[in-house]
Amino acid sequence: MKNSRFFILIAFLITIAWPAMGRAVSFSAQYLENTRVRSSPEVLADNIMMTLPAGSLVQVLGESGLWYNVELKTGQIGWSMKEFLSATDNQSSTETVTPTATAAPATGLLGRVTGRLLLQVQQQGQIWYVDVPSQKRYLVTKEQALPLFRALSLGISNNDLSKIFQCDGQVKPANDLSNRLSGRLLLAVEDLGRVWYVYPPQNCRYEVRTDNIMDLFRSLSLGITDGDLNAIPMASVVGGSGSTAPSGSTASASSSSSATSSLSGTLTSSQSTNITDINQPPSLNLAEVEAYWLQEVNALRSAAGLRTLVSNKYLRATAQEWAVYMGRDLGYCTHDRPDGSSMHKWIDTKNIPWTVRYSVGGWNTNYFTENIAYGYTNGALASTQKMLDGTLKWILDEASYNGPHYRTIYHPDWNSVGTGFYFQKVSENNYKIFIAWHYGSVDLGK
């Protein structure tokens, strides 16, 4: 899916020179899975300090982009990606503000609006969110709100999320956890990457969805003049132009013929890449997983009068290669190629027999795209299908504004799709699954 997990959390590779942090956050966090700790907030071959097992506790000291600066029990300090950590109430925690040359302390106007949604009353009602850690404002639009919020959000487990009561119009007492997370965006990493906003006045939580974003935000926002808004530092855009599905995720995309016609139980690659070891759960048949997705997507395409898709060996091989690269080599989802090339230039090196543009049955506007996602499964087919169901719902929620993932499902040029998988074992009977879907217009006679 081009542009944007189901958690498909949305993940981007950002290599930065990190500045001094103006706001030092301090809270306890727990690793959700085995996770690498690095000496700097970037993915390099030579900056891995160690791998901590799932459940390990650390103290978060600060933030930089998609990374947390963490202190280990040993006193060592390193960096881990935010998506692998969840705030926990197991230890007491504090949050302090440290003035520096790069950020103002949260006092005065900034202290009143940090963590709040702001309605720019003099500019057609534009909405802004003031991020708590950075104390900077981000413009919120319907098209980029969920990707933006997933990039800014703090991962949280279902157990800790349940301690923050949902906003229902009744006044309820807050607790230490909800007070500490006031104004924060939370990513439910164990619940399909759902996004929640902890509303500061009551420190209760609202779910943020595609269908309620703008109405909800307008109802919760504070009016602000241009003069006051200009006094709040504006952040640069978070993320990039790829598309990632949410955390429980998926995506899809032949002519006619059965959805299972070219599937096999064990997926291997025809490329000269060692990608056959994907840690596949022993009871999970990946042919059934791909067939289920094809069935659901083809039902939608057929109802819209579009040709259905078939699983294609060339696209399965390239999708498998990319899923393994994300899951095994990186540990997160990205569209960024290691050599800096675009995904189209990358796929053009794979010798795939595309259809001829403008020919009968050929492509007209695009011959290839990629969707990526990650989620969680217990290794059973039913659990994996549930993840796919959640992803499809998330995609269809984009219908109101014809979002990029929605357009992928209904793109008229596709006749084929290939699905690639990689599994990380998080704990007994619990896997993190990385998925890549490669959609295209392939010459099915070759």
Side-chain angles (χ1 to χ4, degrees), residues 13 322 325 335-343 345-346:
L13 175 59
W322 195 247
Y325 174 72
H335 293 287
D336 296 338
R337 268 47 190 178
D339 62 357
S341 65
S342 69
M343 69 176 70
K345 288 184 178 179
W346 179 86

Side-chain angles (χ1 to χ4, degrees), residues 81-116:
M81 294 196 75
K82 292 179 180 179
E83 66 180 89
F84 302 120
L85 284 160
S86 171
T88 180
D89 210 21
N90 289 347
Q91 302 177 25
S92 60
S93 62
T94 59
E95 184 172 24
T96 60
V97 177
T98 305
T100 73
T102 58
T107 58
L109 173 65
L110 193 57
R112 294 194 300 273
V113 301
T114 296
R116 296 302 300 266

Side-chain angles (χ1 to χ4, degrees), residues 105-114 118 224-225 227-232:
T107 58
L109 173 65
L110 193 57
R112 294 194 300 273
V113 301
T114 296
L118 305 177
I224 191 169
T225 64
D228 283 341
L229 186 68
N230 290 334
I232 303 170

Side-chain angles (χ1 to χ4, degrees), residues 95-381:
E95 184 172 24
T96 60
V97 177
T98 305
T100 73
T102 58
T107 58
L109 173 65
L110 193 57
R112 294 194 300 273
V113 301
T114 296
R116 296 302 300 266
L117 294 159
L118 305 177
L119 183 67
Q120 190 175 1
V121 294
Q122 294 170 295
Q123 290 294 331
Q124 292 84 45
Q126 286 188 326
I127 296 176
W128 299 81
Y129 168 68
V130 184
D131 181 44
V132 174
S134 67
Q135 299 176 48
K136 293 182 178 180
R137 58 184 167 100
Y138 291 84
L139 180 64
V140 178
T141 66
K142 185 170 184 177
E143 290 73 19
Q144 49 79 290
L146 279 179
L148 170 68
F149 287 175
R150 288 192 174 102
L152 296 176
S153 62
L154 171 69
I156 191 167
S157 66
N158 286 347
N159 180 54
D160 284 334
L161 185 65
S162 68
K163 299 174 185 176
I164 305 172
F165 64 85
Q166 293 193 48
C167 303
D168 58 7
Q170 301 181 19
V171 178
K172 300 177 183 177
N175 54 50
D176 288 343
L177 182 62
S178 60
N179 288 337
R180 172 152 48 87
L181 298 178
S182 179
R184 295 301 300 266
L185 295 159
L186 305 177
L187 188 68
V189 295
E190 298 172 337
D191 189 16
L192 302 179
R194 294 165 71 184
V195 176
W196 298 85
Y197 171 56
V198 183
Y199 181 49
Q202 287 92 37
N203 289 343
C204 56
R205 58 185 166 101
Y206 285 96
E207 184 177 6
V208 180
R209 306 186 308 272
T210 302
D211 61 352
N212 76 349
I213 285 177
M214 302 315 290
D215 289 341
L216 174 65
F217 287 1
R218 286 194 176 93
S219 69
L220 300 180
S221 61
L222 294 172
I224 191 169
T225 64
D226 288 356
D228 283 341
L229 186 68
N230 290 334
I232 303 170
M234 185 167 64
S236 57
V237 177
V238 169
S241 61
S243 69
T244 310
S247 151
S249 107
T250 329
S252 71
S254 102
S255 256
S256 47
S257 88
S258 167
T260 61
S261 61
S262 58
L263 298 176
S264 59
T266 302
L267 300 186
T268 58
S269 173
S270 61
Q271 310 284 13
S272 57
T273 309
N274 181 21
I275 59 173
T276 56
D277 184 8
I278 62 172
N279 297 327
Q280 181 175 344
S283 63
L284 185 62
N285 186 319
L286 297 183
E288 293 180 330
V289 176
E290 187 173 18
Y292 180 76
W293 182 255
L294 277 171
Q295 168 189 299
E296 298 302 302
V297 170
N298 280 336
L300 295 171
R301 291 178 64 89
S302 180
L306 298 171
R307 56 184 170 185
T308 56
L309 308 175
V310 295
S311 176
N312 177 265
K313 64 181 181 180
Y314 297 104
L315 296 180
R316 284 208 311 274
T318 58
Q320 189 62 64
E321 181 181 349
W322 195 247
V324 170
Y325 174 72
M326 293 190 300
R328 183 190 66 191
D329 300 341
L330 295 181
Y332 61 89
C333 286
T334 181
H335 293 287
D336 296 338
R337 268 47 190 178
D339 62 357
S341 65
S342 69
M343 69 176 70
H344 278 84
K345 288 184 178 179
W346 179 86
I347 201 71
D348 286 345
T349 68
K350 304 302 179 181
N351 298 317
I352 296 175
W354 306 112
T355 59
V356 177
R357 191 175 191 180
Y358 303 131
S359 65
V360 177
W363 65 279
N364 293 312
T365 62
N366 193 8
Y367 59 91
F368 170 76
T369 198
E370 173 181 272
N371 290 168
I372 54 179
Y374 73 83
Y376 293 87
T377 175
N378 64 14
L381 179 62

